[in-house]
């Protein structure tokens, strides 16, 4: 480095405290290296280190929760797993009354749509009115944009049969007058 006079400025020499810190750091690194070498020799004498010791290392079995979390992260299943957890906690999220009559059926990850079926048209209408609030609550719990829309399905209508006596394979009265 040079100052304005064109003269070279040298970095200040380390003082006694700085020299002590450098020496302590070097001694710690050497001790760590000696410890690693001694541990490797000990494992070699024991049979190549085939057994795990008292301390945890990479060969020990993994806890079930950690293994499942690792699998979810590796496969990219975080969002579907989180939505599955919401389906299990549905009564706490929407309330007991609504949960008795409306049940989540499936989650489409591509469309980010949660399909919910209700046991009556009145409850389906109620859920449609609450859908924006529920989407906001679900996204707050799961992360922004996880659920874009709630698709509400009312009860399935019974199959309409025309008359007590019906010919197999007929399409109803249109067969006759067709």
């Amino acid at each position: 480095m040079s100052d304005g006079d064109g003269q070279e400025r040298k970095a200040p020499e380390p003082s006694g405290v700085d020299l002590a810190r450098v020496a302590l750091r070097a001694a710690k690194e050497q001790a760590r290296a000696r410890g690693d070498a001694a541990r490797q020799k000990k494992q070699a004498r024991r049979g190549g280190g085939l057994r795990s010791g008292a301390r945890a290392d990479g060969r020990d079995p993994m806890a079930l929760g950690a293994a499942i979390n690792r699998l979810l992260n590796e496969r990219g299943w975080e969002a579907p797993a989180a939505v599955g957890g919401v389906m299990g906690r549905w009564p706490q999220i929407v309330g007991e009354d609504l949960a008795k009559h409306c049940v989540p059926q499936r989650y489409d990850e591509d469309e980010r749509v949660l399909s919910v079926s209700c046991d009556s048209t009145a409850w389906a209408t109620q859920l449609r009115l609450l859908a924006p609030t529920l989407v906001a609550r679900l996204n707050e719990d799961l992360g922004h944009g996880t659920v874009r829309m709630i698709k509400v399905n009312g009860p399935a209508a019974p199959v309409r049969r025309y008359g007590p006596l019906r010919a197999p394979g007929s399409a109803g009265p249109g067969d006759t007058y067709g």
Side-chain angles (χ1 to χ4, degrees):
M1 293 196 302
S2 66
D3 53 10
D5 298 345
Q7 297 202 2
E8 292 290 320
R9 250 190 338 175
K10 294 185 180 180
E13 293 292 324
S15 66
V17 176
D18 293 332
L19 287 173
R21 283 188 187 135
V22 170
L24 180 62
R25 189 178 309 125
K28 283 182 179 180
E29 288 175 7
Q30 289 173 356
R32 191 175 301 120
R34 281 194 308 268
D36 288 344
R39 191 175 13 247
Q40 288 174 353
K41 280 185 185 177
K42 197 174 190 181
Q43 284 181 349
R45 276 189 300 217
R46 270 201 254 153
L50 296 176
R51 291 180 287 157
S52 177
R55 293 184 183 88
D57 63 4
R59 298 170 293 158
D60 287 340
M62 189 180 287
L64 181 62
I68 290 174
N69 287 336
R70 181 174 161 194
L71 179 69
L72 290 175
N73 290 335
E74 286 175 356
R75 303 285 170 110
W77 295 339
E78 295 95 355
V83 172
V86 164
M87 289 183 180
R89 295 180 290 122
W90 184 251
Q92 289 87 14
I93 293 172
V94 299
E96 293 294 327
D97 291 336
L98 195 60
K100 288 178 187 174
H101 301 282
C102 301
V103 180
Q105 294 296 316
R106 67 183 158 275
Y107 173 70
D108 184 5
E109 188 178 358
D110 297 330
E111 299 290 324
R112 295 192 167 135
V113 174
L114 179 66
S115 297
V116 179
S117 67
C118 299
D119 59 2
S120 71
T121 55
W123 284 106
T125 303
Q126 181 69 24
L127 186 64
R128 283 187 189 100
L129 292 173
L130 292 173
T133 308
L134 286 176
V135 167
R137 191 179 303 166
L138 289 170
N139 284 330
E140 182 180 303
D141 191 28
L142 300 173
H144 182 67
T146 305
V147 178
R148 276 191 20 228
M149 187 175 81
I150 294 179
K151 181 180 176 186
V152 181
N153 299 318
V159 177
R160 180 110 181 170
R161 306 237 180 225
Y162 297 99
L165 301 175
R166 184 170 175 178
S170 73
D175 273 354
T176 308
Y177 304 109

